[in-house]
């Protein structure tokens, strides 16, 4: 039994675009040791896929199983990180990170200790008392990551987490994500429209086509393993193999494009 | 939902790039007056003009008594009273009514606002009721309140309550509707129960709008006071001004109006301070000191 099973899932929204399914008969298997990245242009149903896994959405047809059980809604075993950090501005950094633990009813000193430890993992030690408006976009996104990690979920779901960050911060965040993946062994599912990010991060890259949303290709990659084995991010990204793979993936995406009507 | 959240966030974290006033734009070191100084000068000029025309005998004291008479009256009404109560007793009676109405409005208005903001059915039921009575001037339904509830203290507080209630409900519902979808989804993914969502995410997110609702409500409530105290009151600022007018005691009328204005200004400042303390993240200028 795979850890996550998306079994012949179709999702149709009840609006004007209902003719075309957002996801059309999609089947996927995700395993605990994988970092799965779903890549595709906007409208390809990658957000729909993430919403299914998070439990924000139910399939019109088919089923989604997590650990063998159907997903019935959002729960603490699947942490979510969005592009906008969705942090709580009335809480300071450490209280934001401890928020999930508070909801679970942990004692104050316990959750503080746990949140401080997670803060270290995202390299924000020393910022626990800061308010969010004192942080940069990248730091806020790290707080978001730490908040999801603090509740110790089995799986992390990231919805274009670094899309709003500047290029330099984004590179750092990608590296941080791989470090966290390596340290915590969390199963990760990430969606992005950033080609280079997808090829760099993914252990399993899933290409989706737009309207109707289908899985075009699933590719096993090892650039993320090279990073966790100690090679530098820049050396990987400038490697001819990396560039060739990037162009290959790009061609696969372009092959899905509808021809521009004359 | 997302677009409103973005607009809100941009507003909240906006750094003013362009100076808003001319005086800030010009870097000339010439003598410039601060806005507060200009405002103070305006008030002072008005007072001097008032003192001038009344001292010169241009206006009869019945129409406009000189400012010094008002000060003397202030002392007399404070110590000896007017219509069986001192100024402080009148003021105390008025403030007690407004604050009772405020407490009731907050206790009822916030839950009703949350319900309207969260549930389509609650919105369908409650929204029209509030929208029907809200635009009616309190003086228009005052007779009905008297017929139904008599001329006691309850009717007066009810009238002020109705004035404060609507803005608090509307402010709360607005704030609740604008809570970012992602904020709610993240909290759900952290295991929040529906009640925890309201308590720990929805209400704090809506707090800035609730505070604005309270501010607007308290403003209208305070202005409804005079109407409320027309109902057979024997004390209160509105009553004091009304009965002074009937006996053409113009200085007490002006004194009453001045005190009402100063209290209103004080309430506004107090609530702004409260907003700064309770929800600093929602203010464009987060100078935390």
């Amino acid at each position: 039994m795979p850890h996550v099973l998306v079994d012949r899932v179709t999702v149709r929204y009840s609006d004007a675009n209902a003719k075309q399914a957002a996801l059309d008969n999609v089947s996927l298997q995700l395993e605990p040791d994988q970092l799965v990245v779903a890549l595709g242009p906007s409208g390809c149903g990658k957000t729909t896929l993430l919403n299914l896994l998070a439990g924000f959405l139910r399939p019109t047809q088919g089923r989604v199983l997590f650990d063998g059980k159907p997903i019935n809604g959002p729960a603490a075993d699947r942490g979510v990180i969005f592009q906008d950090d969705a942090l709580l501005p009335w809480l300071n950094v450490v209280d934001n990170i401890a928020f999930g633990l508070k909801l679970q009813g942990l004692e104050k000193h316990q959750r503080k200790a746990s949140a401080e430890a997670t803060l270290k993992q995202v390299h924000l030690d020393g910022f626990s008392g800061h308010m969010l408006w004192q942080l940069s976009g990248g730091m806020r996104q790290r707080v978001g990551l730490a908040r999801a990690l603090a509740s110790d979920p089995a799986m992390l779901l990231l919805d274009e987490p670094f899309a709003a960050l500047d290029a330099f911060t984004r590179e750092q965040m990608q590296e941080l994500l791989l470090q966290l993946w390596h340290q915590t062994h969390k199963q990760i599912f990430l969606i992005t429209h950033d080609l280079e990010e997808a090829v760099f991060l993914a252990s399993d890259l899933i290409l989706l086509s737009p309207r109707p949303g289908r899985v075009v290709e699933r590719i096993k990659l090892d650039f993320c393993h090279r990073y966790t084995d100690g090679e530098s991010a820049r050396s990987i990204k400038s490697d001819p193999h990396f560039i060739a793979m990037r162009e290959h993936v790009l061609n696969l995406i372009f092959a899905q494009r509808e021809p521009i009507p004359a | 939902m997302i677009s409103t959240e973005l607009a809100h966030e941009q507003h909240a974290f906006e750094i003013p790039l362009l100076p808003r006033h001319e005086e800030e734009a010009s870097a000339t070191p010439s003598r410039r007056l601060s806005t507060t100084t200009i405002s103070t000068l305006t008030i002072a000029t008005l007072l001097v003009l008032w003192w001038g025309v009344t001292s010169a005998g241009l206006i009869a004291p019945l129409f406009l008594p000189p400012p010094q008479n008002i000060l003397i009256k202030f002392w007399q009404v404070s110590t000896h009273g007017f219509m069986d109560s001192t100024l402080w007793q009148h003021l105390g009676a008025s403030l007690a009514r407004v604050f009772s109405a405020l407490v009731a409005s907050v206790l009822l208005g916030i839950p009703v606002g949350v319900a309207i903001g969260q549930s389509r059915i609650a919105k369908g039921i409650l929204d029209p009721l509030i929208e029907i009575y809200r635009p009616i001037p309190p003086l228009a339904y005052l007779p009905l309140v008297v017929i139904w509830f008599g001329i006691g203290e309850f009717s007066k507080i009810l009238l002020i309550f109705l004035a404060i209630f609507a803005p608090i409900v509307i402010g709360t519902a607005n704030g609740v509707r604008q809570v970012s979808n992602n904020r709610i989804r993240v909290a759900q993914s952290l295991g929040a129960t529906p009640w925890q969502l309201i308590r720990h995410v929805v209400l704090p997110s809506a707090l800035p709008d609730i505070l604005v609702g309270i501010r607007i409500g308290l403003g209208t409530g305070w202005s409804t006071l005079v109407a409320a105290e027309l109902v057979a009151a024997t004390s209160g600022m509105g009553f004091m001004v009304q009965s002074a007018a009937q006996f053409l005691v113009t200085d007490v009328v002006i004194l009453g109006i001045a005190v009402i204005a100063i209290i209103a200004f004080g309430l506004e400042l107090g609530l702004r301070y409260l907003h700064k303390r309770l929800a600093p993240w929602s203010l464009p200028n987060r100078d935390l000191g």
Side-chain angles (χ1 to χ4, degrees), chain A residues 73-88:
Chain A
D77 54 7
R78 281 159 285 129
V80 179
I81 292 128
F82 289 109
Q83 178 182 329
D84 84 82
D85 51 47
L87 296 168
L88 308 176

Side-chain angles (χ1 to χ4, degrees), chain B residues 83-102:
Chain B
M83 301 303 261
D84 301 328
S85 301
T86 64
L87 178 65
W88 309 117
Q89 285 165 335
H90 285 302
L91 188 58
S94 291
L95 284 174
R97 283 169 194 142
V98 168
F99 278 109
S100 316
L102 176 69

Side-chain angles (χ1 to χ4, degrees), chain A residues 217-231:
Chain A
E217 189 90 51
R218 179 166 181 160
I219 307 169
K220 282 247 169 226
L221 296 173
D222 71 338
F223 301 109
C224 56
H225 297 119
R226 280 167 60 181
Y227 179 80
T228 53
D229 286 346
E231 192 175 342

